[in-house]
Every structure is written in structure tokens, then in C-alpha cells.
Amino acid sequence: MPPFSLAIGAAPLSGRAAGELRSIDIVQVVATGTLIFLIIGGVGVGVLALALLGAEVFTFGHPDVDGPLSLEAVAGFAGAFGFGAAIVNELLGGRTPGMIAAAVAGGAVAAVPTGWLATRLARAARNMRTDATPTRDHLVGAVGLVVTPVPADGYGEVRVRLAGQPVKLNARADNPIPVGAQIFVVEALSETSVHVETY
């Protein structure tokens, strides 16, 4: 193997340096088509992640109205298309237009089910049934504990459970109530204060 230079105008390598260079494995260069497909895939996955996390990216019109194609479907399609086409392009060696066309077809085969699945998951997340938001009326009848003594003429603090979550509220009572006493809520005076009695 004749010696070769690393840069234009550099002196040819000889002796030990050329022998060391011959023993180094040649690094395969990523084809331009593969790089373009990877960029398409990366952008698609990034937009899909933002869309599934609730970011209103590229929303036109009313955000609650689904059109024929949702953002999630387009982003999922683009992500799967880019990565699928990149894999096929590298497997085929994608150096000719025919091979790149085959990579595009392979990317489309991966992209169609992925776009459909992304649409289904996004709709399921948007239409998920949830419990009603608790209001002050839900506080009446709640049982809890006094965490700061409740005086007869002022406010103390109580901790009650509302929709399974502990909530700390300001509390009034007709009679003083010591720390640690069990109470129940008689009336919700506001969103953050209640009237209580011992339980």
C-alpha cells in the first residue's frame, strides 16, 4: 500500500507513522441521506414529546378541536419515518437514488402505524375521565385533626382529607379545641377556612 497524506500539501507518511496508520480501523462515514433522515426523526420525536406533554406547539385555531391530522400524528409519523428511513438507508448503503427511494419506502412503512398510535394515545390522554374538582362544599363533614389550637374567639389550624389529599385549613370553633383533638367540619366559611366541632 503506497503512503498517503492526511491533508492536501502534507508530506507523505513513511516508516513507523504509516504502519501505525494502517493498523487503525477505518471509521465509516455516515451517508448524507442517513444524516438527513436522522435529523427528520429527531425533530419529529422532539415535537411529539412537547405535544404529548401538553405544550401548545404550532396550534392553529381552537386547541380542543381535532382536525383530520393532529400534531401528535404528524410528529409521530415524522419521527418514525426519519429513524426508519435512516436504518434502511444504512442497511442498503444508500449511495444511489434507487437505494434512497427504498429507504424512504422503509421509513413510510414504519411511520404509518406510529402516526396512528400517536393519535390514539393523544386522544386517550385528552379524553381521560377525571374526578370532579373539589369545592368548598366538599369540606362539610370531613374529619381531621387539630394541628394548631383553636381558640374560642379566633382561628387555629386543622388538617382534613379532601379527595384523598391532606389539606390544612384555618378553623374556628364555638369552644376551644386543643392540638391533636379529632374534629369534623360543620361549615365551610371560605375556600381556606372552616367551622369545626370535636368529633
Side-chain angles (χ1 to χ4, degrees), residues 1-6 11-15 17-19 21-22:
M1 179 174 188
F4 56 93
S5 60
L6 296 176
L13 295 175
S14 61
L21 198 52
R22 279 189 208 114

Side-chain angles (χ1 to χ4, degrees), residues 5-194:
S5 60
L6 296 176
I8 296 174
L13 295 175
S14 61
R16 184 175 173 203
E20 287 176 4
L21 198 52
R22 279 189 208 114
S23 66
I24 297 174
D25 293 336
I26 297 173
V27 178
Q28 186 176 5
V29 178
V30 176
T32 304
T34 302
L35 185 60
I36 291 170
F37 291 139
L38 287 174
I39 291 170
I40 292 170
V43 169
V45 168
V47 172
L48 179 61
L50 289 173
L52 291 177
L53 291 172
E56 299 296 332
V57 183
F58 307 123
T59 300
F60 300 105
H62 197 278
D64 293 334
V65 177
D66 278 342
L69 292 176
S70 66
L71 175 63
E72 294 86 0
V74 173
F77 183 91
F81 170 78
F83 291 126
I87 291 169
V88 174
N89 196 49
E90 279 299 302
L91 290 175
L92 295 177
R95 304 285 188 250
T96 66
M99 290 179 179
I100 292 175
V104 168
V109 167
V112 170
T114 304
W116 178 82
L117 182 62
T119 300
R120 299 287 297 183
L121 289 174
R123 280 194 186 139
R126 274 196 298 272
N127 299 330
M128 185 185 315
R129 295 201 303 165
T130 59
D131 295 335
T133 304
T135 63
R136 64 192 277 184
D137 297 331
H138 291 97
L139 291 169
V140 176
V143 177
L145 293 172
V146 176
V147 293
T148 303
V150 181
D153 59 348
Y155 283 93
E157 291 180 319
V158 296
R159 187 177 59 235
V160 299
R161 285 204 165 285
L162 181 62
Q165 298 296 318
V167 179
K168 193 173 178 184
L169 301 165
N170 297 319
R172 291 190 73 134
D174 294 332
N175 300 312
I177 305 174
V179 172
Q182 268 199 318
I183 53 90
F184 70 95
V185 176
V186 177
E187 179 186 1
L189 303 173
S190 72
E191 301 294 327
T192 59
S193 62
V194 290

